[in-house]
Amino acid sequence: MTQQPSVILATASYDRSIRFWEAKSGRCYRTIQYPETQVNRLEITPDKRFLAAAGNPHIRLFDVESNNPQPVMNYESHTNNVMAVGFQCDGKWMYSGSEDGTVKIWDLRAPGCQREYESRAAVNTVVLHPNQVPEVDTAVRSLTVMWDGSLVVAANNRGTCYVWRLLQGTQTMTNFEPLHKLQAHDGYILKCLLSPELCEPNRYLATASADNTVKIWNVGGFTLEKVLVGHQRWVWDCVFSVDGAFLITASSDTTARLWSMSTGENLKVYQGHHKATTCCALHDGAEPSC
């Protein structure tokens, strides 16, 4: 077992590999070959022990602190592309969404799928509300919820973001109050993401697009703050640092990039993949206390 950096940054590419990076130096210190399928989504467990890779039609769980290229666990019951994966804050439960039209809940302490929800269409994105009760979203390109559960943003293929205020309804139902419609890009929005708690009092929305840019919006009035320019092709994914001071992006130009949120400057380029880099995962904070 080797000592790994406290900041975990991972990317996956159409070259069917997963790479781990030193965030500051840009050095790739570990590569996992993933020959079976492309990786659609990456997510790191809250305790930084494992990396989940969502593929077609399975999920593989890798040990972050080991150089073993083999997964420590396989999740197989989806029947089509797995497009979303994430974890409950205590790391005991994993959720996933697939183009097979289902959302599944997995107990990491036991084999098999513990719960399944059916959708009428392919599930492209799933997020977990802060009250930790999974809710199935509609078949939009990307969905994000504010850390305190006050807002939800859905982005579609026409470059539009729809914003709702979340109001508490019954115990099992949340009411959505339309708040804003934002024409963020002219083309596809591939990822939308609201800033984390430690970014307060500033609240931002990042939108990554097929127009090769990422735009940063002030949630207060949904005004455009910055346009992050540097990628040469579609930007598929993005993730904030825990304090919201930095943003990592992944692009079809084969690179991932590190950006300063205060200046919009591109601070680092992570190069090593040979095909499109389609997703990224970052964990630079302490373990959560649920």
Side-chain angles (χ1 to χ4, degrees):
M1 183 176 294
T2 60
Q3 182 66 35
Q4 306 296 351
S6 60
V7 175
I8 311 294
L9 171 60
T11 61
S13 166
Y14 280 162
D15 64 13
R16 299 198 172 185
S17 72
I18 298 169
R19 289 177 177 260
F20 290 83
W21 307 85
E22 290 181 351
K24 291 184 179 180
S25 71
R27 183 180 74 90
C28 175
Y29 64 86
R30 181 185 176 192
T31 301
I32 298 173
Q33 300 302 324
Y34 204 93
E36 300 168 278
T37 172
Q38 80 280 359
V39 177
N40 300 311
R41 186 64 58 193
L42 293 174
E43 191 69 32
I44 300 165
T45 56
D47 61 7
K48 301 184 182 180
R49 291 183 58 198
F50 301 105
L51 175 76
N56 183 8
H58 50 251
I59 304 164
R60 305 284 191 240
L61 200 66
F62 294 93
D63 189 339
V64 168
E65 298 181 349
S66 167
N67 287 321
N68 184 358
Q70 299 303 316
V72 297
M73 191 68 69
N74 299 307
Y75 302 91
E76 302 282 359
S77 68
H78 282 297
T79 60
N80 207 329
N81 258 323
V82 183
M83 303 300 293
V85 65
F87 297 94
Q88 183 194 27
C89 71
D90 65 5
K92 295 178 181 178
W93 297 85
M94 179 175 72
Y95 58 89
S96 61
S98 169
E99 289 181 343
D100 65 13
T102 67
V103 171
K104 295 180 184 288
I105 308 299
W106 313 81
D107 186 341
L108 298 186
R109 302 158 295 181
C113 171
Q114 272 62 51
R115 187 174 298 176
E116 179 177 308
Y117 303 89
E118 291 190 5
S119 171
R120 294 181 180 178
V123 179
N124 297 316
T125 176
V126 179
V127 294
L128 198 63
H129 190 277
N131 67 9
Q132 299 295 294
V133 178
E135 295 188 39
V136 181
D137 56 279
T138 56
V140 296
R141 173 66 68 170
S142 184
L143 187 72
T144 179
V145 175
M146 185 61 77
W147 66 268
D148 60 1
S150 60
L151 295 176
V152 62
V153 179
N156 66 21
N157 286 346
R158 295 183 178 179
T160 305
C161 289
Y162 293 90
V163 185
W164 292 271
R165 182 181 287 113
L166 295 180
L167 304 174
Q168 187 60 47
T170 65
Q171 186 176 0
T172 58
M173 184 67 68
T174 299
N175 294 324
F176 288 71
E177 178 184 70
L179 185 63
H180 194 79
K181 179 181 178 181
L182 176 68
Q183 189 61 47
H185 297 266
D186 292 331
Y188 294 166
I189 297 176
L190 303 171
K191 180 66 176 286
C192 64
L193 187 64
L194 288 161
S195 55
E197 179 179 3
L198 293 182
C199 193
E200 298 287 321
N202 298 311
R203 293 188 165 198
Y204 298 110
L205 170 69
T207 55
S209 172
D211 65 13
N212 307 348
T213 71
V214 177
K215 293 183 178 180
I216 308 299
W217 306 85
N218 188 314
V219 172
F222 290 96
T223 55
L224 182 62
E225 290 270 326
K226 295 178 179 68
V227 181
L228 307 183
V229 178
H231 282 299
Q232 302 303 305
R233 294 188 179 180
W234 290 18
V235 185
W236 286 95
D237 199 8
C238 62
V239 59
F240 282 104
S241 62
V242 69
D243 59 0
F246 304 98
L247 189 75
I248 301 281
T249 56
S251 168
S252 286
D253 64 13
T254 76
T255 70
R257 291 176 182 256
L258 172 68
W259 307 85
S260 167
M261 284 292 292
S262 61
T263 66
E265 180 184 0
N266 182 197
L267 302 176
K268 187 70 64 178
V269 179
Y270 305 98
Q271 295 178 302
H273 287 297
H274 305 298
K275 292 185 179 181
T277 304
T278 53
C279 49
C280 53
L282 176 69
H283 195 330
D284 61 332
E287 295 180 24
S289 55
C290 294

